[in-house]
Amino acid sequence: MALKEIAREFQGKAAHLALRMPISWVNIITGPPAAVDGRTLDGRTQWFLQLLARSRQPALHQLSVAEARTDFDTFMQLMSGRPAPVGEIVDRTANGSTGSLRIRIYRPAHSVARLLPTILYFHGGGFVIGSLEGYDLACRYFCARSGCAVVSVDYRLAPEHKFPAAIDDGVAAFRWLSAEAAQLGLDPSRIVLAGDSAGGTIAAVAAQELRGEPHPPCLQWLIYPATDLAGGTASHKSCGEGFLLTAADMEWFRGHYLNSPAEIDDPRASPLRAADLTGVAPALIFTAGFDPLRDEGEAYANRLTAAGVKTIHREFDTLIHGFIGMRGALQAAARAMDDMVAGLRHELAQLGR
């Protein structure tokens, strides 16, 4: 093992020990609670952010694309907790928009369903970073706790493949899964379009484009989605520094993803800008209080509701962007993930009535 890898492993273990300190100690060390827009940051999350600042790691936007991808996957694997038990994990390929896409299929243990409901999951990472490997533990968790199969999609990333490559792959992945579902033991009438951050954007846009399909998605499950790449909401200003995802990071992502700033107005880049949202799948939208994307996620929920789409929006007001990758380190993140999965299970159960 290289010295750099040894150091990284040691730092990861030290951080976990620090994050598990008694909350009374954490409150003393962190000082006064951080508050923004009438919200108070979770104490352990504040301590995590302070530890991150003390590590003097370069900011994401200061890294090369290759470095950012490696660091992000390492972070997800360190912070996502222990592997949840699932019945089967299979890697295979699906038909993408321009060729084969790598996918990973997770099946729950002890399921007796003939055809399983399925979460078609698109990972986060600003359309630039993130991978099947980085999101493996999160997808295991979603599978084990929801009772659904999870199909995780390795869509094309920028800057090698700029807008709208990721969107095209998302739509193609759904159409492939819908056609192949029964042969895979999955229910084509119960496919949930899901994703976090940029993956939430892919799911939201795909839900718009697929509303006329023979088997449209039954739900969209959007976790702190990016719905307007202009970044002009109040939360981009109030939460754009000091809460993991920064305004500079967002600019870095946009610069790699878009061919030109003019594409921000395209509804396939900014789904909030779609002229008509009627007829899209019902939506579960979850946002974080200390997240630059908070307000645009809420705005998208409001637009869907105004269009007559059944929409449930919940804000986890003490958490930061990226919390689904922190289940193993932050209790508030773990509770939020439990709540999100419970909401998904409830809505799927309602569909069967």
Side-chain angles (χ1 to χ4, degrees), residues 61 236-248 292:
H61 64 271
H236 275 273
K237 297 177 182 178
S238 61
C239 302
E241 190 64 44
F243 301 108
L244 194 63
L245 178 66
T246 67

Side-chain angles (χ1 to χ4, degrees), residues 222-311:
L222 313 180
I223 303 169
Y224 38 78
T227 66
D228 189 342
L229 291 188
T233 62
S235 59
H236 275 273
K237 297 177 182 178
S238 61
C239 302
E241 190 64 44
F243 301 108
L244 194 63
L245 178 66
T246 67
D249 294 337
M250 288 297 299
E251 186 59 36
W252 187 85
F253 287 131
R254 278 193 298 268
H256 285 304
Y257 177 52
L258 298 178
N259 298 283
S260 74
E263 290 177 335
I264 290 172
D265 292 328
D266 190 324
R268 293 185 6 121
S270 300
L272 183 61
R273 301 192 179 207
D276 180 15
L277 294 175
T278 58
V280 303
L284 293 169
I285 300 179
F286 297 96
T287 55
F290 289 77
D291 181 357
L293 306 186
R294 181 193 70 210
D295 291 352
E296 64 196 70
E298 181 180 5
Y300 195 62
N302 292 338
R303 280 283 316 279
L304 289 171
T305 299
V309 177
K310 180 183 178 182
T311 303

Side-chain angles (χ1 to χ4, degrees), residues 15 33 114 159-160 166 202 207 215 246 278 297 332 339 345:
R114 186 177 68 87
E160 298 90 340
I202 296 171
H215 290 292
T246 67
T278 58
D339 289 350
R345 289 177 65 105

Side-chain angles (χ1 to χ4, degrees), residues 96-99 101 122 127 153-173 202 256-259 263 268-269:
S97 55
T98 60
L101 289 174
F122 304 103
F127 305 100
V153 181
D154 192 31
Y155 59 88
R156 290 174 294 165
L157 297 177
E160 298 90 340
H161 305 282
K162 287 181 173 284
F163 173 80
I167 302 299
D168 290 340
D169 285 349
V171 173
I202 296 171
H256 285 304
Y257 177 52
L258 298 178
N259 298 283
E263 290 177 335
R268 293 185 6 121

